């Protein structure tokens, strides 16, 4: 380890301050461009020891667990709470702009759709058993250390106010010191809590969890690795007025506000299309909204998600026909021949993107495409494939679903 004083020259893609040294870049978490800081350096990583000259854009963080002086350690979920709103918004949008530029794409990039504190309705905690009880929190950046959480300004009050309840429910299931995950989602009927990483639960543990949950209001469902332990209330979320019960522990957009913003862009571009394919559909975030416009074919690899989508569609009046197909689109993309059946295609893949599917789409005659992504780099690669195939990229809109983190969503619209 070496000590040195440096001047921060920029922000990296992960929100760290960057210094360009003769030996290469040095990444300094919690530092801002223009600041002079004393750091302890190990290879290309620097830890702030003191700030000699602070940037005017620096502000007090909203959370006690943020920054090098965070109480009980630094939570690794946020990296930019110390940056003022305007430069923060510029940074988030720049991640999308830079990704497109790296692939030679010239497109209109809209203003960042903002996210506000207290909107995150789905959170994945890390927990483990200790001598003092259940340790519940988030992992420190680049570490297995769990930072005990007492507050979380990005998360809904419906979750933060029930941290003690979540600990109480998890404690009987934690029989070893091995860490495990707890996914918590706030639904219209209460908290949906799913435990992952616990090998098994005895009958006694199950009874104890049941008794605890029944003594608490506001808990809709508790599950272990997808198996429902107790469900006092059916957990319900809505997609444009369509009620759906998602599978235990399944994916859902982290904030409803970001989901609604993405859906509005998707629906507006699809417009009057009558035959629509929703690829990587999940439980129907877009499919059930699009079914108010035209006939929808939803394709997804996860069987439980498809069944939840199908049940919701069958029990909702006023929707156009919705068909479903279980299919691994990474291995078996819809072919050019199959794509002839659709006027519009929407796809929202995992972070890896939809390269194989885009190669088929690029050769198709589908009139309109909407690409939704949580990874600007894989999105840019996929869009480049479509543009090379004759599509015109009309607009890309960045959406700040993950407040104060280096992650950004984007919705891109294309026409043949």
């Amino acid at each position: 380890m070496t000590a040195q004083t440096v001047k921060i020259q920029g922000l990296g893609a992960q929100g760290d301050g960057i210094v360009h040294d003769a030996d290469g870049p040095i990444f300094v978490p919690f530092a801002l461009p223009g600041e002079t800081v004393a750091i302890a350096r190990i290879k290309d990583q620097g830890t702030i020891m003191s700030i000699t000259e602070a940037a005017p854009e620096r502000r007090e963080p909203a959370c006690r667990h943020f920054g090098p002086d965070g109480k009980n350690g630094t939570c690794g979920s946020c990296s930019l709470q110390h940056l003022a709103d305007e430069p923060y918004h510029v940074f988030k949008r720049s991640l999308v702009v830079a990704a497109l530029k790296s692939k030679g794409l010239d497109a209109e990039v809209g203003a960042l759709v903002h996210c506000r504190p207290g909107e995150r309705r789905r959170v994945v905690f890390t927990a483990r058993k200790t001598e003092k009880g259940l340790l519940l929190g988030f992992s420190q950046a680049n570490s297995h250390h769990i930072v005990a959480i007492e507050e979380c300004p990005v998360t809904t009050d419906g979750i933060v106010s029930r941290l003690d309840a979540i600990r109480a429910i998890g404690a009987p299931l934690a029989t070893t010191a091995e860490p495990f995950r707890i996914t918590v989602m706030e639904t219209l009927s209460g908290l949906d809590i799913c435990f992952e990483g616990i090998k098994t639960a005895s009958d006694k543990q199950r009874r104890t969890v049941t008794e605890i949950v029944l003594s608490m209001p506001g808990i809709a469902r508790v599950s272990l690795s997808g198996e429902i332990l107790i469900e006092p209330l059916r957990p319900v979320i809505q997609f444009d007025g369509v009620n759906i019960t998602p599978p235990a522990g399944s994916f859902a957009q982290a904030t409803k506000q970001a989901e609604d913003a993405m859906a509005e862009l998707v629906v507006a571009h699809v417009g009057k299309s009558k035959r629509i394919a929703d690829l990587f559909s999940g439980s129907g975030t877009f499919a059930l909204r699009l079914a108010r416009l035209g006939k929808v074919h939803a394709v997804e690899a996860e069987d439980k998600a498809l069944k939840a989508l199908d049940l919701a569609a069958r029990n909702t009046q006023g929707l156009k026909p919705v068909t479903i197909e279980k299919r691994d689109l990474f291995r078996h993309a819809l072919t050019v021949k199959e794509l002839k059946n659709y006027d519009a295609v929407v796809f929202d893949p995992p972070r890896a993107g939809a390269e194989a599917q885009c190669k088929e789409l690029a050769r198709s005659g589908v009139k309109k495409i909407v690409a939704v992504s949580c990874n600007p780099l894989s999105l840019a690669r996929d869009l480049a494939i479509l543009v090379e195939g004759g599509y015109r990229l009309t607009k890309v809109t960045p959406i700040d679903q993950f407040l104060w983190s280096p992650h950004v969503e984007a919705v891109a619209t294309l026409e043949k």
Side-chain angles (χ1 to χ4, degrees), residues 83-135:
L83 181 59
D85 286 345
E86 185 175 349
Y88 167 75
H89 296 154
V90 170
F91 168 75
K92 273 295 186 76
R93 181 178 178 274
S94 74
L95 295 175
V96 176
V97 172
L100 296 175
K101 185 178 180 180
S102 72
K103 294 297 182 181
L105 296 172
D106 182 16
E108 177 188 354
V109 178
L112 181 75
V113 176
H114 299 170
C115 176
R116 293 181 297 273
E119 291 184 346
R120 187 158 184 178
R121 64 178 178 181
R122 183 178 185 272
V123 182
V124 181
F125 294 107
T126 302
R128 66 177 177 85
K129 181 181 179 181
T130 71
E131 293 180 355
K132 296 181 179 180
L134 189 71
L135 174 62

Side-chain angles (χ1 to χ4, degrees), residues 31-47:
L32 296 176
E35 294 188 328
T36 301
V37 297
I39 63 170
R41 176 183 176 182
I42 300 178
K43 296 182 179 179
D44 65 348
Q45 298 294 312
T47 300

Side-chain angles (χ1 to χ4, degrees), residues 378-394:
S378 62
L379 173 65
R381 178 204 63 207
D382 293 347
L383 294 178
I385 293 170
L386 295 171
V387 170
E388 180 67 23
Y391 281 90
R392 181 171 64 92
L393 183 54
T394 57

Side-chain angles (χ1 to χ4, degrees), residues 229-277:
L229 301 181
I230 181 171
E231 188 179 81
L233 296 167
R234 185 168 61 93
V236 173
I237 58 176
Q238 283 190 342
F239 300 142
D240 191 24
V242 180
N243 288 342
I244 182 168
T245 297
S250 67
F251 171 82
Q253 298 295 343
T255 80
K256 186 178 186 304
Q257 292 77 7
E259 177 189 286
D260 289 343
M262 288 186 282
E264 183 177 346
L265 293 165
V266 169
V267 169
H269 188 66
V270 168
K272 297 182 179 180
S273 302
K274 298 302 180 185
R275 302 170 301 163
I276 309 161

Side-chain angles (χ1 to χ4, degrees), residues 224-342:
L224 174 61
S225 301
E227 177 194 354
I228 297 174
L229 301 181
I230 181 171
E231 188 179 81
L233 296 167
R234 185 168 61 93
V236 173
I237 58 176
Q238 283 190 342
F239 300 142
D240 191 24
V242 180
N243 288 342
I244 182 168
T245 297
S250 67
F251 171 82
Q253 298 295 343
T255 80
K256 186 178 186 304
Q257 292 77 7
E259 177 189 286
D260 289 343
M262 288 186 282
E264 183 177 346
L265 293 165
V266 169
V267 169
H269 188 66
V270 168
K272 297 182 179 180
S273 302
K274 298 302 180 185
R275 302 170 301 163
I276 309 161
D278 182 17
L279 311 182
F280 306 94
S281 66
S283 296
T285 304
F286 303 124
L288 293 170
R289 290 174 164 97
L290 293 168
R292 297 192 184 279
L293 305 176
K295 181 179 178 180
V296 177
H297 184 57
V299 184
E300 167 62 44
E302 294 296 328
D303 186 55
K304 290 182 179 180
L306 273 180
K307 288 180 178 177
L309 189 164
D310 185 52
L311 181 62
R314 291 176 183 275
N315 285 280
T316 303
Q317 294 184 345
L319 301 184
K320 302 293 193 297
V322 177
T323 54
I324 61 172
E325 179 183 356
K326 181 182 178 182
R327 182 165 176 166
D328 183 345
L329 291 166
F330 291 112
R331 295 174 178 270
H332 305 289
L334 263 66
T335 64
V336 173
K337 182 178 179 180
E338 291 172 300
L339 290 167
K340 288 181 179 180
N341 296 320
Y342 306 106

Side-chain angles (χ1 to χ4, degrees), residues 7-12 15-18 31-36 53-58 80 82-83:
K7 192 173 185 69
I8 306 299
Q9 297 165 328
L11 279 180
D16 296 338
I18 292 182
L32 296 176
E35 294 188 328
T36 301
E53 181 182 353
E57 296 82 10
R58 177 174 286 275
L80 290 161
H82 59 309
L83 181 59

Side-chain angles (χ1 to χ4, degrees), residues 14-259:
Q14 297 303 310
D16 296 338
I18 292 182
V19 179
H20 296 286
D21 187 79
D23 298 326
I26 306 170
F27 299 93
V28 185
F30 314 117
L32 296 176
E35 294 188 328
T36 301
V37 297
I39 63 170
R41 176 183 176 182
I42 300 178
K43 296 182 179 179
D44 65 348
Q45 298 294 312
T47 300
I48 292 180
M49 306 304 291
S50 64
I51 301 176
T52 304
E53 181 182 353
E57 296 82 10
R58 177 174 286 275
R59 68 175 181 187
E60 285 297 313
C63 179
R64 75 180 76 179
H65 303 298
F66 177 81
D69 300 321
K71 184 177 180 180
N72 300 326
T74 301
C75 163
S77 295
C78 294
S79 60
L80 290 161
Q81 281 190 28
H82 59 309
L83 181 59
D85 286 345
E86 185 175 349
Y88 167 75
H89 296 154
V90 170
F91 168 75
K92 273 295 186 76
R93 181 178 178 274
S94 74
L95 295 175
V96 176
V97 172
L100 296 175
K101 185 178 180 180
S102 72
K103 294 297 182 181
L105 296 172
D106 182 16
E108 177 188 354
V109 178
L112 181 75
V113 176
H114 299 170
C115 176
R116 293 181 297 273
E119 291 184 346
R120 187 158 184 178
R121 64 178 178 181
R122 183 178 185 272
V123 182
V124 181
F125 294 107
T126 302
R128 66 177 177 85
K129 181 181 179 181
T130 71
E131 293 180 355
K132 296 181 179 180
L134 189 71
L135 174 62
L136 177 73
F138 298 115
S139 295
Q140 193 169 29
N142 303 314
S143 170
H144 295 297
H145 174 68
I146 301 172
V147 178
I149 294 298
E150 298 176 35
E151 64 181 49
C152 182
V154 306
T155 303
T156 64
D157 183 65
I159 294 177
V160 175
S161 64
R162 305 306 304 278
L163 291 177
D164 286 342
I166 296 167
R167 292 187 189 96
I169 294 168
L173 296 173
T175 56
T176 72
E178 291 297 312
F180 56 94
R181 297 180 306 282
I182 309 176
T183 300
V184 182
M185 181 166 178
E186 184 177 17
T187 75
L188 296 176
S189 47
L191 297 187
D192 185 12
I193 304 173
C194 181
F195 294 89
E196 299 280 353
I198 297 174
K199 293 182 179 180
T200 187
S202 66
D203 290 342
K204 181 179 179 181
Q205 287 172 298
R206 292 164 185 263
R207 285 195 300 270
T208 302
V209 168
T210 298
E211 291 169 0
I212 292 171
V213 171
L214 290 177
S215 70
M216 294 178 172
I219 307 298
R221 178 173 64 187
V222 175
S223 58
L224 174 61
S225 301
E227 177 194 354
I228 297 174
L229 301 181
I230 181 171
E231 188 179 81
L233 296 167
R234 185 168 61 93
V236 173
I237 58 176
Q238 283 190 342
F239 300 142
D240 191 24
V242 180
N243 288 342
I244 182 168
T245 297
S250 67
F251 171 82
Q253 298 295 343
T255 80
K256 186 178 186 304
Q257 292 77 7
E259 177 189 286

